[in-house]
Amino acid sequence: MQWLIPCVLCGWYISRMSSAWHTSGLLVVLLALAVSVQAEEVKEKSCDVIGDESSESQMEKALLKKLEPLSQMRFNTTVELGTTENYTYHFRMCREVDSSLHDFAGLVQIDRKTGKTTVVGRINETQVFNGSDWIMLIYKGGDSYGRHCSGEKRRAVIMISCKQGVTASSFSIISEEREKEQECFYLFEMDSSVACPAEDSHLSIGSILLIIFASLIAVYIIAGFLYQRLVVGAKGMEQFPHFAFWQDLGNLVAGKSRLGAWGKKLLSKEGRPPPSQKRYISPSLQHWTLTGNGSAPSWMTKPSMMCVRIWGFTMACGGLESPI
């Protein structure tokens, strides 16, 4: 009998544990259901294009997706007409102005004197179309008119114009057309960059060639540097690929520039050397330099063949060395 007591206690403990686990699991399920229901409530309704889902325009859906960046913003404007009408308009882009009301109201009018709220347009009856630099958004299904427009339902027309660099601004009411028998509307306007056409980002041929040339130079320098350093074992400036060639080329270009400047000075009458730097100049060269008559010596018309000393400078084979 003694061994039965521990078994009974063990069974009681296991039953208690299973009951606790069952209760915990039930609580987790209920909590998950509550969170999911709350998430459904928090999720805001968006624009619904007029018509069945199967027949909705793909162009309109694409335009509504283009307007999505403005959906988290709220827009307000106030208008006062004389002493009798003073209204404030609240607008949201494809969202309800007050989601707690669940009335699909996307644009409402509030009378500042009486506090009366009138729905001008609802997001579940939306139309949208566009041009080259504008988008027209229409909310239909608003509250019915009283004495005007044969008692039809109100509708809001929002003209969104292109303005680069501006997310959204300048929301205002233009007019209310209510003197007709039908098709009355409230007209609003605003600026936004979402209405702007996509910019052409194609590169020109010159830009492409420049990018290719710069890329080749970068590859040449990096690959040459690695080869000189890792394979040849060069140090310092010798690591630069073909360093001797580029050094000689630079010296040649510099020499040509200086030679051209001195040659031009010699060929002009005003280009006489200062008295302190005069050296021996042959009579023929002196006569030609001072008078301009005759022809220049061949060694001056062919600078690449120069190997003479003039005014303390040594010109040799088209190059110009430092003064001696």
Side-chain angles (χ1 to χ4, degrees):
M1 292 295 294
Q2 292 181 353
W3 61 271
L4 288 175
I5 296 174
C7 290
V8 172
L9 292 175
C10 182
W12 176 82
Y13 179 76
I14 292 174
S15 64
R16 294 286 294 177
M17 287 296 294
S18 62
S19 177
W21 278 107
H22 179 72
T23 304
S24 300
L26 184 61
L27 289 174
V28 170
V29 171
L30 292 175
L31 181 62
L33 289 174
V35 170
S36 63
V37 170
Q38 186 177 6
E40 281 292 325
E41 293 179 354
V42 170
K43 185 179 179 181
E44 293 185 293
K45 299 179 178 66
S46 59
C47 283
D48 185 13
V49 179
I50 296 176
D52 298 332
E53 186 175 356
S54 58
S55 61
E56 289 179 352
S57 169
Q58 296 300 317
M59 185 191 71
E60 287 185 305
K61 288 183 177 180
L63 287 175
L64 292 177
K65 187 175 182 180
K66 193 175 182 180
L67 295 173
E68 189 64 24
L70 308 181
S71 62
Q72 301 304 315
M73 303 177 68
R74 293 178 178 270
F75 305 94
N76 307 305
T77 186
T78 301
V79 60
E80 186 173 354
L81 302 175
T83 58
T84 58
E85 297 183 356
N86 191 347
Y87 301 113
T88 298
Y89 294 90
H90 299 275
F91 165 64
R92 289 195 67 187
M93 188 71 68
C94 285
R95 293 294 189 272
E96 293 176 298
V97 174
D98 189 350
S99 57
S100 64
L101 298 178
H102 305 288
D103 58 357
F104 296 99
L107 199 154
V108 299
Q109 176 195 71
I110 299 178
D111 191 323
R112 301 182 67 185
K113 292 184 176 180
T114 64
K116 179 184 176 182
T117 298
T118 303
V119 178
V120 180
R122 289 182 164 86
I123 62 175
N124 61 334
E125 296 186 35
T126 301
Q127 283 184 308
V128 60
F129 50 93
N130 71 324
S132 59
D133 59 352
W134 54 268
I135 297 176
M136 185 79 78
L137 179 68
I138 301 174
Y139 289 163
K140 293 185 175 182
D143 293 343
S144 300
Y145 280 100
R147 302 184 302 272
H148 306 287
C149 304
S150 303
E152 69 176 4
K153 291 185 176 181
R154 290 174 169 84
R155 65 172 177 168
V157 178
I158 302 97
M159 169 67 79
I160 307 168
S161 302
C162 167
K163 188 172 184 180
Q164 294 285 0
V166 176
T167 304
S169 67
S170 306
F171 175 72
S172 62
I173 182 170
I174 302 301
S175 65
E176 178 189 0
E177 179 55 71
R178 63 182 184 183
E179 302 303 325
K180 301 190 300 182
E181 292 295 325
Q182 292 180 336
E183 301 295 327
C184 298
F185 59 88
Y186 293 74
L187 179 61
F188 299 84
E189 69 173 359
M190 62 180 296
D191 298 327
S192 176
S193 59
V194 300
C196 299
E199 295 183 358
D200 189 4
S201 59
H202 295 298
L203 296 175
S204 63
I205 296 177
S207 299
I208 295 174
L209 293 177
L210 183 61
I211 292 174
I212 294 174
F213 180 69
S215 301
L216 291 176
I217 291 178
V219 171
Y220 166 75
I221 294 176
I222 295 173
F225 177 84
L226 294 176
Y227 176 82
Q228 291 291 110
R229 182 178 180 85
L230 302 178
V231 178
V232 180
K235 302 294 183 182
M237 293 298 296
E238 297 295 333
Q239 297 175 95
F240 193 87
H242 302 98
F243 175 72
F245 168 77
W246 294 113
Q247 188 178 41
D248 292 342
L249 180 63
N251 291 337
L252 180 61
V253 172
K256 287 285 186 181
S257 301
R258 296 174 64 187
L259 179 61
W262 278 103
K264 183 177 179 181
K265 190 173 182 179
L266 281 174
L267 293 174
S268 63
K269 293 183 179 181
E270 293 77 15
R272 303 183 184 90
S276 59
Q277 295 185 3
K278 285 186 178 180
R279 295 292 187 272
Y280 171 77
I281 303 177
S282 64
S284 60
L285 174 61
Q286 188 175 21
H287 173 74
W288 177 82
T289 304
L290 296 177
T291 65
N293 298 324
S295 59
S298 61
W299 58 266
M300 290 194 64
T301 59
K302 298 180 179 179
S304 61
M305 301 301 296
M306 284 186 182
C307 290
V308 295
R309 187 187 303 271
I310 298 178
W311 303 346
F313 289 87
T314 299
M315 299 183 181
C317 301
L320 191 63
E321 299 177 0
S322 58
I324 58 176

